[in-house]
């Protein structure tokens, strides 16, 4: 079976959607040559009207996309750095997100914001290593964090077809993931639907984005002690709570691993939402970045601030010891 | 005769004037909550610009946006209902004074984030043209907006990609209480010129003068020209916002206000009509606004059960808060 890389899956999703729908076009910095390696070849195939390289004007081109969406197009805006989302939070939240409600339903703003390389990039330090997906979930923007190449393809396709703004975080730590994929099976992945990546009986681990792979590895490591179910939400907002509640109802235990800062991160929301629906046999746990984290430069410090396998294994073991 | 350009311009400035005066009365009577930013004194700009645009052209307005929406042709009754927060309003009561929009006539909305809308309009005009619909756009913004970085980014993008948007700066001398001299280094036209955007200053109190500079710019833009900027010098006759009626802010002298009010766009345009025509239009405007206020006040308030309606165009439903 052919190997599909996560990055190529994104490229393929863009190309397929641009072929299928004339209204889809790309905006972003250095996309004509594909500096972030997601758009190479697309300029040649689709021309400069549909692969529009922009000046370094994130605020203007983000709102340009809003206007283009109001006029019936489906822009995909690529951001070179996750931290650039802080520059355009205003444009996305105050305008793209609020227009349908503020106009009383007169319009739709179908824009996709694509962040290839979110989270730590090891060695890129404080201003290139943010992972602000919880912020977008908080303001109510559809937010997806695909873990696998097939999901990267399928969720990006669904994001582009969706009638509201969608932010697609493609974690840097997942970009080099490769899977054996039958290309004929590549298909849209519905937004708002999670998936059980590994079945288990004792504890449900919710892992976000690249951390799904870490959770699967930890589950294997601990297989002789504990049966771990790994749940990949795929979309953080809206969250597939029914599927997670179903899992936790069986296992009775919940651990979340999430690359957000701890306070008000998505892990807090996931745990609370589950607790509102099902009683647990042990207190829930979460493994996250620390409160207010700024990723330090030195690799050992960078790693020290990110949630990782050791902490997850420890959290699972503690949860298994705990009893209510 | 009464359909000629001067009469139509007069009708628009008069309509906006009286609409605003009635809206202020409705603020006082408690029917409009949250107050408004009155457009009084600046009517000639919206009227003059929109008179030179075509039906399919697009506009974006500001927090002081009633004039822009009305001049582009919105129904005053549904507009007034919107200000009163009624289900029958343009935005079903979801937008209010600062967000009134009517996309069916090219009004992409009043927008209350200063300096935000030119970039949105630029994208919308570009997209329409890419789809084979050769529209133009006009984006209104105040003198305060010219110090917003995102506005200057939008200037650059519009000029770089030659998107035909008319950038209309309504220089009323103040951003809330901050005078232009205390806020703007260089000049407003110089901001545009730095990006190669042609810029002119026009007397914003004269609706006909505004219409003429706009018409000339529109002709160049329809001919393939890029964006242009018009700085319309004007004066805000009333408060920054109606809250100022209760809290006196000390930033303009009575003499300055009196001087500013002496050049009234309604009178300047009215003087171009015969007294009989003027009276006839005034009467027609009053009748329209009588009906508008009656329509607004008769409209039902939205059902609280629909407070989350339209949050998502995709039909996604959000969890409630309890
Ligand atoms: C980005 C932003 N900053 C501040 C405000 C608060 N505010 C609303 S109107 C206003 C003054 C705007 O002045 P100007 O652009 O000259 O327009 P005018 O009110 O004079 O019509 C301010 C500061 C805002 N709405 N948006
Ligand atoms: Mg001003």
């Amino acid at each position: 079976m052919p190997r599909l890389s996560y990055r190529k899956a994104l490229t393929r999703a863009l190309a397929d959607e641009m072929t299928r729908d004339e209204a889809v076009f790309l905006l972003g910095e250095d996309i004509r040559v594909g500096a972030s390696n997601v758009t190479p070849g697309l300029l040649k195939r689709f021309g400069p009207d549909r692969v529009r390289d922009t000046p370094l004007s994130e605020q203007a081109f983000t709102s340009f996309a809003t206007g283009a969406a109001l006029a019936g197009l489906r822009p995909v805006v690529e951001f070179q750095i996750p931290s650039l989302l802080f520059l355009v939070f205003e444009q996305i939240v105050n305008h793209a997100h609020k227009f349908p409600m503020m106009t009383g339903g007169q319009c739709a703003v179908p824009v996709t914001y694509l962040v290839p390389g979110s989270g730590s990039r090891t060695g890129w330090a404080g201003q290139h290593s943010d992972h602000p997906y919880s912020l977008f979930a908080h303001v109510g923007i559809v937010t997806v964090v695909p873990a696998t190449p097939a999901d990267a393809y399928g969720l990006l396709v669904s994001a582009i077809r969706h009638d509201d703004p969608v932010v697609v975080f493609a974690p840097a730590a997942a970009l080099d993931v490769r899977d054996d994929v039958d290309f004929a099976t590549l298909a849209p992945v519905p937004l708002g639907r999670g998936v059980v990546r590994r079945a288990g009986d004792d504890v449900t681990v919710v892992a976000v984005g690249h951390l799904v792979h870490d959770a699967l590895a930890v589950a294997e490591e601990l297989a002789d002690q504990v049966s771990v179910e790994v749940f990949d939400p795929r979309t953080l907002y809206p969250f597939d709570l029914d599927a997670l509640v179903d899992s936790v109802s069986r296992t009775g235990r919940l651990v979340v691993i999430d690359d957000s800062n701890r306070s008000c991160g998505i892990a807090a929301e996931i745990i609370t939402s589950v607790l509102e629906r099902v009683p647990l046999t042990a207190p829930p746990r979460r493994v996250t970045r620390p409160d207010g984290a700024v990723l330090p430069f030195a690799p050992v410090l960078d790693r020290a601030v990110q949630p990782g396998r050791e902490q997850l294994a420890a959290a699972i073991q503690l949860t298994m010891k705990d009893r209510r | 005769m009464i359909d000629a350009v001067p009469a139509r311009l007069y009708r628009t400035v008069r309509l906006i004037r009286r609409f605003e005066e009635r809206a202020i009365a409705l603020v006082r009577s408690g029917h409009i909550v949250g107050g408004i930013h009155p457009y009084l004194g600046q009517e000639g700009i919206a009227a003059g610009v929109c008179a030179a645009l075509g039906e399919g052209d697009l506009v974006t307005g500001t927090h002081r946006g009633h004039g822009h929406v009305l001049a582009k042709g919105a129904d005053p009754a549904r507009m007034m209902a919107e200000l009163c927060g009624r289900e029958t309003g343009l935005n079903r009561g979801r937008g209010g004074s600062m967000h009134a929009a009517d996309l069916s006539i090219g009004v992409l909305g009043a927008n209350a984030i200063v300096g935000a809308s030119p970039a949105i309009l630029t994208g919308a005009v570009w997209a329409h043209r890419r789809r084979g619909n050769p529209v133009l756009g006009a984006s209104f913004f105040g003198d305060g907006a010219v110090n917003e970085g995102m506005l200057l980014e939008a200037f650059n993008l519009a000029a770089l990609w030659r998107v035909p948007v008319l950038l209309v700066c309504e220089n009323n001398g103040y951003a809330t209480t901050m005078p232009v001299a205390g806020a703007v280094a260089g000049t407003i036209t110089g901001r545009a010129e730095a990006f190669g955007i042609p810029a002119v200053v026009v007397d914003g109190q004269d609706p006909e003068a505004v219409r003429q500079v706009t018409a000339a710019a529109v002709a160049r833009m329809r001919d393939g020209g890029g964006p242009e900027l018009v700085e319309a010098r004007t004066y805000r006759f009333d408060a920054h916002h109606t809250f100022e009626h209760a809290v006196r802010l000390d930033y303009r002298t009575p003499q300055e206000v009196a001087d500013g009010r002496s050049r009234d766009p309604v009178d300047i345009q009215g003087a171009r009509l015969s007294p009989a025509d003027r009276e006839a239009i005034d009467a027609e405007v009053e009748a329209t606004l009588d009906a508008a206020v009656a329509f607004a006040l008769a409209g039902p308030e939205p059902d609280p059960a629909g407070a989350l309606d339209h949050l998502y165009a995709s039909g996604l439903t959000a969890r409630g808060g309890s």
Side-chain angles (χ1 to χ4, degrees):
Chain A
M1 218 182 287
R3 303 281 281 170
L4 178 65
S5 82
Y6 191 113
R7 222 187 273 270
K8 284 281 168 289
L10 295 174
T11 312
R12 206 180 169 87
L14 293 175
D16 285 358
E17 286 309 286
M18 291 176 81
T19 304
R20 192 187 60 80
D21 183 355
E22 272 281 310
V24 178
F25 76 103
L26 313 182
L27 279 169
E29 292 160 4
D30 307 298
I31 59 172
R32 70 186 194 293
V33 292
S36 43
N37 217 357
V38 167
T39 55
L42 297 181
L43 174 68
K44 215 167 144 212
R45 263 179 84 181
F46 298 101
D49 246 17
R50 299 186 66 196
V51 180
R52 291 197 76 78
D53 220 312
T54 60
L56 308 191
S57 302
E58 292 78 12
Q59 301 188 336
F61 68 68
T62 300
S63 276
F64 184 95
T66 302
L70 289 173
L73 297 186
R74 290 186 174 270
V76 179
V77 187
E78 187 198 284
F79 294 96
Q80 275 186 353
I81 309 170
S83 314
L84 297 179
L85 290 173
F86 299 134
L87 275 78
V88 297
F89 206 53
E90 195 282 313
Q91 284 70 22
I92 297 176
V93 179
N94 271 333
H95 307 276
H97 172 59
K98 292 183 183 176
F99 268 34
M101 208 290 298
M102 292 198 310
T103 60
Q106 293 182 56
C107 63
V109 186
V111 185
T112 302
Y113 310 101
L114 175 62
V115 192
S118 56
S120 169
R121 301 174 165 191
T122 313
W124 286 72
Q127 291 175 337
H128 285 70
S129 305
D130 293 296
H131 222 162
Y133 48 73
S134 296
L135 280 180
F136 289 90
H138 178 74
V139 293
I141 290 171
V142 175
T143 303
V144 303
V145 195
T148 67
D151 275 2
Y153 177 89
L155 288 168
L156 180 52
V157 165
S158 295
I160 293 170
R161 295 183 190 178
H162 192 67
D163 280 340
D164 287 308
V166 181
V167 189
V168 179
F169 287 90
L175 284 178
D176 294 324
V177 172
R178 282 161 203 279
D179 277 338
D180 294 328
V181 174
D182 174 0
F183 286 2
T185 64
L186 286 174
V189 170
L191 302 173
R193 269 310 165 71
V195 64
V196 173
R197 293 282 179 203
R198 179 186 195 279
D201 302 321
D202 299 334
V203 55
T204 301
V205 170
V206 179
V208 177
H210 60 293
L211 297 171
V212 168
H213 305 287
D214 295 299
L216 290 170
V218 169
E220 285 309 315
E221 264 168 45
L222 301 183
D224 53 349
Q225 307 162 35
V226 48
S227 168
V228 177
E229 177 142 313
V230 176
F231 181 80
D232 172 2
R234 306 197 283 194
T235 303
L236 297 181
Y237 185 89
F239 194 90
D240 191 354
L241 193 55
D242 288 343
L244 178 56
V245 162
D246 185 59
S247 167
V248 177
S249 304
R250 283 184 283 102
T251 62
R253 289 182 164 84
L254 175 62
V255 175
V256 182
I257 180 162
D258 156 31
D259 195 28
S260 296
N261 294 354
R262 197 168 184 85
S263 179
C264 301
I266 198 76
E269 177 58 32
I270 293 170
I271 289 170
T272 310
S273 298
V274 169
L275 285 175
E276 283 176 334
R277 299 249 312 248
V278 273
L280 299 181
T281 48
R285 293 189 177 269
R286 56 183 157 154
V287 180
T288 65
R289 292 186 180 191
D291 278 347
V294 176
L295 257 62
F297 166 66
V300 287
L301 300 179
D302 173 315
R303 275 194 298 278
V305 171
Q306 290 183 66
R309 295 184 186 186
E310 274 171 40
Q311 297 142 290
L312 178 60
I316 292 170
Q317 281 159 334
L318 280 174
T319 301
M320 292 312 297
K321 279 191 206 123
D322 281 332
R323 279 225 147 268
R324 265 256 151 87
Chain B
M1 166 64 174
I2 214 148
D3 242 2
V5 167
R8 272 189 281 137
L9 264 185
Y10 175 73
R11 187 183 183 283
T12 308
V13 289
R14 177 76 188 180
L15 175 76
I16 301 170
R17 169 66 50 89
R18 294 293 298 140
F19 183 97
E20 293 295 67
E21 288 171 347
R22 283 169 181 253
I24 290 170
L26 290 171
V27 170
R28 295 215 164 103
S29 64
H31 291 99
I32 294 175
V33 296
I36 64 166
H37 297 83
Y39 196 58
L40 297 173
Q42 304 184 198
E43 299 91 337
I45 306 170
V49 168
C50 291
L53 297 176
E55 256 184 38
D57 293 334
L58 309 178
V59 304
T60 54
T62 66
H63 55 285
R64 198 177 305 291
H66 305 169
H68 313 132
V69 180
L70 291 170
K72 190 66 174 54
D75 174 4
R78 294 190 59 214
M79 176 77 181
M80 196 64 92
E82 186 57 33
L83 304 196
C84 293
R86 304 305 165 108
E87 187 65 40
T88 44
L90 286 175
N91 309 30
R92 299 189 59 206
R94 269 73 175 170
S97 164
M98 288 190 278
H99 308 302
D102 187 347
L103 275 83
S104 69
I105 55 164
V107 179
L108 303 189
N111 197 314
I113 302 299
V114 170
S117 66
I120 296 171
L121 184 69
T122 301
V125 169
W126 177 86
H128 270 291
R129 297 177 82 86
R130 218 208 82 190
R131 301 179 71 204
N133 183 15
V135 304
L136 308 178
S139 188
F140 299 90
F141 51 88
D143 50 275
V146 306
N147 300 316
E148 292 286 357
M150 61 185 153
L151 186 93
L152 303 176
E153 287 188 13
F155 281 15
N156 186 56
L157 218 54
L160 189 71
W161 292 348
R162 286 185 77 73
V163 184
V165 290
L166 187 68
L167 302 160
V168 184
C169 181
E170 304 184 314
N171 179 358
N172 61 9
Y174 295 88
T176 313
T177 67
M178 170 62 81
V180 169
V184 180
T187 61
I188 292 171
T189 51
R191 299 273 199 283
E193 284 155 357
F195 299 100
I197 297 174
V200 292
V201 175
V202 67
D203 176 6
Q205 300 312 93
D206 182 345
E208 179 57 25
V210 175
R211 190 190 67 79
Q212 282 176 14
V213 295
T214 305
V218 161
R220 286 187 292 271
M221 292 195 295
R222 292 221 196 275
D223 237 26
E228 301 201 18
L229 180 135
V230 173
E231 178 189 346
R233 297 262 171 89
T234 185
Y235 198 77
R236 158 161 67 68
F237 286 7
D238 200 280
H240 168 67
H241 179 272
T242 46
F243 78 73
E244 219 188 295
H245 293 159
V247 195
R248 283 279 154 214
L249 301 175
D250 184 18
Y251 63 98
R252 315 196 288 190
T253 64
Q255 186 59 50
E256 183 196 299
V257 176
D259 289 348
R261 284 172 154 272
S262 71
R263 299 201 61 250
D264 185 328
V266 177
D267 291 336
I268 289 173
Q269 192 60 26
R272 295 176 177 139
L273 269 58
S274 73
D277 283 355
R278 191 172 170 174
E279 262 171 46
I281 291 171
D282 288 356
E284 185 219 318
V285 164
E286 286 322 297
T288 300
L289 292 174
D290 285 345
V293 171
F295 174 84
L297 297 183
E301 287 186 2
D303 179 351
L308 298 181
D309 286 0
H310 311 301
L311 190 54
Y312 297 101
S314 57
L316 178 68
T317 51
R319 286 187 294 175
S322 60

